[in-house]
Amino acid sequence: MSNVTVIGAQWGDEGKGKIVDWLASRVDVVVRFQGGHNAGHTLVVGENIYKLSLLPSGIVSGKLCIIGNGVVVDPHALLAEIDRVRAQGLTVTPDILRVAENAPLILPLHVALDCAREKARGTRQIGTTGRGIGPAYEDKVARRAIRVCDLADRETLEWKLDELLLHHNTLLAGLGSVPFEKEKLLACLLEIGPKILPFMAQTSDILETVCQRRQRILFEGAQAVMLDVDHGTYPFVTSSNTVAANAGVGAGVSPKSIGFVLGIIKAYCTRVGKGPFPTELFDEIGRGLGERGHEFGTVTGRSRRCGWFDAVLVRYAAQVGGIDGLALTKLDVLDGLDEIKVCIGYDCDGQPMDRLPSSLAAQARVLPVYETLEGWKKTTHGIQHWDDLPIQAMRYIRRLEELIGVPIILLSTGADRQDTILRQDPFEA
């Protein structure tokens, strides 16, 4: 039996939540290993729609869920999310949800700094969600973060807040924002601590026991490879490593434990916020993809930019992400198009390129080189068997496999759990 690690292979919003939920019924534990409540995973189960940000998608299936040390946790957002899904009938108790004791916390001052800096950038905004993710990761690396375990010790909170406020109030004052008072922050943390601490655990020990018992683990990534802080379209990226290699670090397990790496791709391409997007469409086709695909951010509500599938980017994502197989989602959004284009390369100042350059200036000059494929008129929505797909859809999928160099082993043809075609079992690979 193999563990599976799920990561996005474009710019996020590929439908990871649905795929993780579909796989979760076959595992014992689901682990979030990076990101924060800037992630948004939407799960559709029958008539119920669950929108998750911090909670692992396995919570819907009642699986043991772990928020790993690589996640930055806003305690207020976590408790609000727990309350929200409980109101929908889900059970969330310390028996099935564990939060790593060494996970860094997002505080109100992180949110304030995030928003103040983004405002100060003016027309050069990065497109952050304004939820304090970046500043919280900065504090972690600078060794001044307050972690979940610190909520149990007032003395530790006292001196850590002194160091945090020395740094953050200086920055906030420079940006013309109101500084924070220590006593108010301390009171906030002391109030919320008893609500969070029951979920706290040495999660690396739990996962070690799970591995020794040869139980299955599903590692759930957030965002996507092209938003990775090292390998994405920097600086228009998130503040963590989104590649599968970070699953071990962010969950506190051996890298040998991450198992089969399943990359999630959408049948076309979308992006939220700023940053390069070579295949972006500004015409009726692009607007049609957005409307049919309901392309609005789960967390931000922002409209997503839409474009043709970029095989160059996904091939790169598969390379640096260590992807063994792919899950293709939202195939049905392409139904009815006369022709479908796929980016197979780039042109930059007359020179052919087979990958996106790292330079922002060069990225802005890149033009996509397209291959045109025949579309299909038959609907693919809800199809659950490969042989029932239109022949043109089969050809499209096979051509993507050729261009990326990785097999597409799973297809999603709708939002519901059952709208899925399994071509190869990732747990048996």
PDB file of all heavy atoms in Angstrom, residues 82-102:
ATOM      1  N   ILE A  82     -14.357  25.594  12.056  1.00  0.00           N
ATOM      2  CA  ILE A  82     -14.897  24.447  12.793  1.00  0.00           C
ATOM      3  C   ILE A  82     -16.378  24.663  13.096  1.00  0.00           C
ATOM      4  O   ILE A  82     -17.211  23.770  12.892  1.00  0.00           O
ATOM      5  CB  ILE A  82     -14.094  24.212  14.089  1.00  0.00           C
ATOM      6  CG1 ILE A  82     -12.687  23.689  13.754  1.00  0.00           C
ATOM      7  CG2 ILE A  82     -14.822  23.230  14.997  1.00  0.00           C
ATOM      8  CD1 ILE A  82     -11.765  23.594  14.955  1.00  0.00           C
ATOM      9  N   ASP A  83     -16.713  25.856  13.572  1.00  0.00           N
ATOM     10  CA  ASP A  83     -18.113  26.161  13.870  1.00  0.00           C
ATOM     11  C   ASP A  83     -18.979  26.070  12.609  1.00  0.00           C
ATOM     12  O   ASP A  83     -20.118  25.578  12.652  1.00  0.00           O
ATOM     13  CB  ASP A  83     -18.235  27.560  14.482  1.00  0.00           C
ATOM     14  CG  ASP A  83     -17.710  27.629  15.909  1.00  0.00           C
ATOM     15  OD1 ASP A  83     -17.571  26.566  16.540  1.00  0.00           O
ATOM     16  OD2 ASP A  83     -17.434  28.750  16.384  1.00  0.00           O
ATOM     17  N   ARG A  84     -18.436  26.538  11.502  1.00  0.00           N
ATOM     18  CA  ARG A  84     -19.209  26.552  10.266  1.00  0.00           C
ATOM     19  C   ARG A  84     -19.529  25.135   9.779  1.00  0.00           C
ATOM     20  O   ARG A  84     -20.675  24.834   9.406  1.00  0.00           O
ATOM     21  CB  ARG A  84     -18.444  27.321   9.182  1.00  0.00           C
ATOM     22  CG  ARG A  84     -19.237  27.527   7.902  1.00  0.00           C
ATOM     23  CD  ARG A  84     -18.556  28.483   6.956  1.00  0.00           C
ATOM     24  NE  ARG A  84     -17.301  27.951   6.418  1.00  0.00           N
ATOM     25  CZ  ARG A  84     -16.105  28.420   6.719  1.00  0.00           C
ATOM     26  NH1 ARG A  84     -15.980  29.430   7.573  1.00  0.00           N
ATOM     27  NH2 ARG A  84     -15.016  27.900   6.182  1.00  0.00           N
ATOM     28  N   VAL A  85     -18.534  24.242   9.785  1.00  0.00           N
ATOM     29  CA  VAL A  85     -18.799  22.887   9.289  1.00  0.00           C
ATOM     30  C   VAL A  85     -19.599  22.074  10.307  1.00  0.00           C
ATOM     31  O   VAL A  85     -20.350  21.162   9.925  1.00  0.00           O
ATOM     32  CB  VAL A  85     -17.489  22.160   8.901  1.00  0.00           C
ATOM     33  CG1 VAL A  85     -16.774  22.918   7.788  1.00  0.00           C
ATOM     34  CG2 VAL A  85     -16.574  21.946  10.091  1.00  0.00           C
ATOM     35  N   ARG A  86     -19.454  22.395  11.586  1.00  0.00           N
ATOM     36  CA  ARG A  86     -20.315  21.735  12.578  1.00  0.00           C
ATOM     37  C   ARG A  86     -21.773  22.084  12.327  1.00  0.00           C
ATOM     38  O   ARG A  86     -22.663  21.233  12.469  1.00  0.00           O
ATOM     39  CB  ARG A  86     -19.904  22.169  13.985  1.00  0.00           C
ATOM     40  CG  ARG A  86     -18.700  21.421  14.555  1.00  0.00           C
ATOM     41  CD  ARG A  86     -18.307  21.999  15.901  1.00  0.00           C
ATOM     42  NE  ARG A  86     -17.237  21.228  16.556  1.00  0.00           N
ATOM     43  CZ  ARG A  86     -16.539  21.656  17.593  1.00  0.00           C
ATOM     44  NH1 ARG A  86     -16.805  22.851  18.120  1.00  0.00           N
ATOM     45  NH2 ARG A  86     -15.603  20.899  18.132  1.00  0.00           N
ATOM     46  N   ALA A  87     -22.020  23.329  11.951  1.00  0.00           N
ATOM     47  CA  ALA A  87     -23.389  23.750  11.655  1.00  0.00           C
ATOM     48  C   ALA A  87     -23.950  23.019  10.441  1.00  0.00           C
ATOM     49  O   ALA A  87     -25.178  22.917  10.286  1.00  0.00           O
ATOM     50  CB  ALA A  87     -23.427  25.263  11.422  1.00  0.00           C
ATOM     51  N   GLN A  88     -23.056  22.488   9.605  1.00  0.00           N
ATOM     52  CA  GLN A  88     -23.478  21.699   8.439  1.00  0.00           C
ATOM     53  C   GLN A  88     -23.602  20.214   8.765  1.00  0.00           C
ATOM     54  O   GLN A  88     -23.872  19.410   7.874  1.00  0.00           O
ATOM     55  CB  GLN A  88     -22.491  21.900   7.288  1.00  0.00           C
ATOM     56  CG  GLN A  88     -22.511  23.296   6.693  1.00  0.00           C
ATOM     57  CD  GLN A  88     -21.578  23.421   5.491  1.00  0.00           C
ATOM     58  OE1 GLN A  88     -20.396  23.714   5.630  1.00  0.00           O
ATOM     59  NE2 GLN A  88     -22.129  23.166   4.310  1.00  0.00           N
ATOM     60  N   GLY A  89     -23.378  19.873  10.028  1.00  0.00           N
ATOM     61  CA  GLY A  89     -23.582  18.493  10.443  1.00  0.00           C
ATOM     62  C   GLY A  89     -22.328  17.657  10.595  1.00  0.00           C
ATOM     63  O   GLY A  89     -22.415  16.463  10.912  1.00  0.00           O
ATOM     64  N   LEU A  90     -21.134  18.240  10.372  1.00  0.00           N
ATOM     65  CA  LEU A  90     -19.897  17.479  10.505  1.00  0.00           C
ATOM     66  C   LEU A  90     -19.447  17.429  11.963  1.00  0.00           C
ATOM     67  O   LEU A  90     -19.684  18.360  12.733  1.00  0.00           O
ATOM     68  CB  LEU A  90     -18.786  18.086   9.651  1.00  0.00           C
ATOM     69  CG  LEU A  90     -19.015  18.119   8.139  1.00  0.00           C
ATOM     70  CD1 LEU A  90     -17.781  18.659   7.435  1.00  0.00           C
ATOM     71  CD2 LEU A  90     -19.378  16.741   7.601  1.00  0.00           C
ATOM     72  N   THR A  91     -18.787  16.352  12.311  1.00  0.00           N
ATOM     73  CA  THR A  91     -18.219  16.196  13.648  1.00  0.00           C
ATOM     74  C   THR A  91     -16.761  16.637  13.618  1.00  0.00           C
ATOM     75  O   THR A  91     -15.964  16.117  12.838  1.00  0.00           O
ATOM     76  CB  THR A  91     -18.294  14.727  14.108  1.00  0.00           C
ATOM     77  OG1 THR A  91     -19.670  14.340  14.161  1.00  0.00           O
ATOM     78  CG2 THR A  91     -17.668  14.559  15.485  1.00  0.00           C
ATOM     79  N   VAL A  92     -16.417  17.602  14.447  1.00  0.00           N
ATOM     80  CA  VAL A  92     -15.021  18.057  14.560  1.00  0.00           C
ATOM     81  C   VAL A  92     -14.679  18.119  16.041  1.00  0.00           C
ATOM     82  O   VAL A  92     -15.094  19.035  16.757  1.00  0.00           O
ATOM     83  CB  VAL A  92     -14.820  19.445  13.913  1.00  0.00           C
ATOM     84  CG1 VAL A  92     -13.334  19.812  13.953  1.00  0.00           C
ATOM     85  CG2 VAL A  92     -15.334  19.469  12.483  1.00  0.00           C
ATOM     86  N   THR A  93     -13.938  17.130  16.495  1.00  0.00           N
ATOM     87  CA  THR A  93     -13.509  17.051  17.888  1.00  0.00           C
ATOM     88  C   THR A  93     -12.014  16.769  17.921  1.00  0.00           C
ATOM     89  O   THR A  93     -11.419  16.408  16.892  1.00  0.00           O
ATOM     90  CB  THR A  93     -14.246  15.917  18.615  1.00  0.00           C
ATOM     91  OG1 THR A  93     -13.801  14.652  18.069  1.00  0.00           O
ATOM     92  CG2 THR A  93     -15.755  16.041  18.456  1.00  0.00           C
ATOM     93  N   PRO A  94     -11.392  16.899  19.081  1.00  0.00           N
ATOM     94  CA  PRO A  94      -9.972  16.545  19.192  1.00  0.00           C
ATOM     95  C   PRO A  94      -9.683  15.079  18.877  1.00  0.00           C
ATOM     96  O   PRO A  94      -8.517  14.707  18.694  1.00  0.00           O
ATOM     97  CB  PRO A  94      -9.647  16.874  20.660  1.00  0.00           C
ATOM     98  CG  PRO A  94     -10.606  17.975  21.010  1.00  0.00           C
ATOM     99  CD  PRO A  94     -11.872  17.592  20.304  1.00  0.00           C
ATOM    100  N   ASP A  95     -10.709  14.251  18.796  1.00  0.00           N
ATOM    101  CA  ASP A  95     -10.495  12.852  18.424  1.00  0.00           C
ATOM    102  C   ASP A  95     -10.162  12.699  16.942  1.00  0.00           C
ATOM    103  O   ASP A  95      -9.478  11.747  16.559  1.00  0.00           O
ATOM    104  CB  ASP A  95     -11.747  12.015  18.744  1.00  0.00           C
ATOM    105  CG  ASP A  95     -11.981  11.877  20.240  1.00  0.00           C
ATOM    106  OD1 ASP A  95     -10.981  11.867  20.994  1.00  0.00           O
ATOM    107  OD2 ASP A  95     -13.149  11.793  20.651  1.00  0.00           O
ATOM    108  N   ILE A  96     -10.657  13.627  16.116  1.00  0.00           N
ATOM    109  CA  ILE A  96     -10.396  13.483  14.678  1.00  0.00           C
ATOM    110  C   ILE A  96      -9.628  14.659  14.086  1.00  0.00           C
ATOM    111  O   ILE A  96      -9.261  14.616  12.916  1.00  0.00           O
ATOM    112  CB  ILE A  96     -11.704  13.274  13.884  1.00  0.00           C
ATOM    113  CG1 ILE A  96     -12.606  14.501  13.957  1.00  0.00           C
ATOM    114  CG2 ILE A  96     -12.438  12.036  14.343  1.00  0.00           C
ATOM    115  CD1 ILE A  96     -13.756  14.443  12.972  1.00  0.00           C
ATOM    116  N   LEU A  97      -9.375  15.697  14.865  1.00  0.00           N
ATOM    117  CA  LEU A  97      -8.573  16.821  14.386  1.00  0.00           C
ATOM    118  C   LEU A  97      -7.415  17.070  15.336  1.00  0.00           C
ATOM    119  O   LEU A  97      -7.620  17.262  16.543  1.00  0.00           O
ATOM    120  CB  LEU A  97      -9.411  18.094  14.269  1.00  0.00           C
ATOM    121  CG  LEU A  97      -8.634  19.361  13.854  1.00  0.00           C
ATOM    122  CD1 LEU A  97      -8.059  19.213  12.447  1.00  0.00           C
ATOM    123  CD2 LEU A  97      -9.518  20.608  13.947  1.00  0.00           C
ATOM    124  N   ARG A  98      -6.201  17.072  14.780  1.00  0.00           N
ATOM    125  CA  ARG A  98      -4.998  17.352  15.550  1.00  0.00           C
ATOM    126  C   ARG A  98      -4.238  18.497  14.876  1.00  0.00           C
ATOM    127  O   ARG A  98      -4.087  18.518  13.646  1.00  0.00           O
ATOM    128  CB  ARG A  98      -4.086  16.130  15.617  1.00  0.00           C
ATOM    129  CG  ARG A  98      -4.705  14.932  16.323  1.00  0.00           C
ATOM    130  CD  ARG A  98      -4.661  15.137  17.830  1.00  0.00           C
ATOM    131  NE  ARG A  98      -4.970  13.909  18.541  1.00  0.00           N
ATOM    132  CZ  ARG A  98      -6.178  13.500  18.862  1.00  0.00           C
ATOM    133  NH1 ARG A  98      -7.222  14.237  18.518  1.00  0.00           N
ATOM    134  NH2 ARG A  98      -6.373  12.378  19.516  1.00  0.00           N
ATOM    135  N   VAL A  99      -3.768  19.413  15.701  1.00  0.00           N
ATOM    136  CA  VAL A  99      -2.985  20.548  15.200  1.00  0.00           C
ATOM    137  C   VAL A  99      -1.579  20.440  15.772  1.00  0.00           C
ATOM    138  O   VAL A  99      -1.407  20.272  16.992  1.00  0.00           O
ATOM    139  CB  VAL A  99      -3.624  21.890  15.609  1.00  0.00           C
ATOM    140  CG1 VAL A  99      -2.814  23.064  15.056  1.00  0.00           C
ATOM    141  CG2 VAL A  99      -5.069  21.970  15.120  1.00  0.00           C
ATOM    142  N   ALA A 100      -0.578  20.538  14.919  1.00  0.00           N
ATOM    143  CA  ALA A 100       0.813  20.400  15.361  1.00  0.00           C
ATOM    144  C   ALA A 100       1.156  21.438  16.416  1.00  0.00           C
ATOM    145  O   ALA A 100       0.878  22.626  16.240  1.00  0.00           O
ATOM    146  CB  ALA A 100       1.761  20.529  14.172  1.00  0.00           C
ATOM    147  N   GLU A 101       1.780  20.991  17.496  1.00  0.00           N
ATOM    148  CA  GLU A 101       2.126  21.901  18.582  1.00  0.00           C
ATOM    149  C   GLU A 101       3.160  22.939  18.155  1.00  0.00           C
ATOM    150  O   GLU A 101       3.245  24.017  18.742  1.00  0.00           O
ATOM    151  CB  GLU A 101       2.676  21.101  19.770  1.00  0.00           C
ATOM    152  CG  GLU A 101       3.936  20.312  19.462  1.00  0.00           C
ATOM    153  CD  GLU A 101       4.429  19.510  20.651  1.00  0.00           C
ATOM    154  OE1 GLU A 101       3.794  19.571  21.707  1.00  0.00           O
ATOM    155  OE2 GLU A 101       5.481  18.829  20.510  1.00  0.00           O
ATOM    156  N   ASN A 102       3.930  22.635  17.107  1.00  0.00           N
ATOM    157  CA  ASN A 102       4.960  23.555  16.639  1.00  0.00           C
ATOM    158  C   ASN A 102       4.532  24.339  15.397  1.00  0.00           C
ATOM    159  O   ASN A 102       5.369  24.914  14.693  1.00  0.00           O
ATOM    160  CB  ASN A 102       6.278  22.825  16.373  1.00  0.00           C
ATOM    161  CG  ASN A 102       6.118  21.602  15.475  1.00  0.00           C
ATOM    162  OD1 ASN A 102       5.025  21.053  15.345  1.00  0.00           O
ATOM    163  ND2 ASN A 102       7.216  21.156  14.880  1.00  0.00           N
TER     164      ASN A 102
END
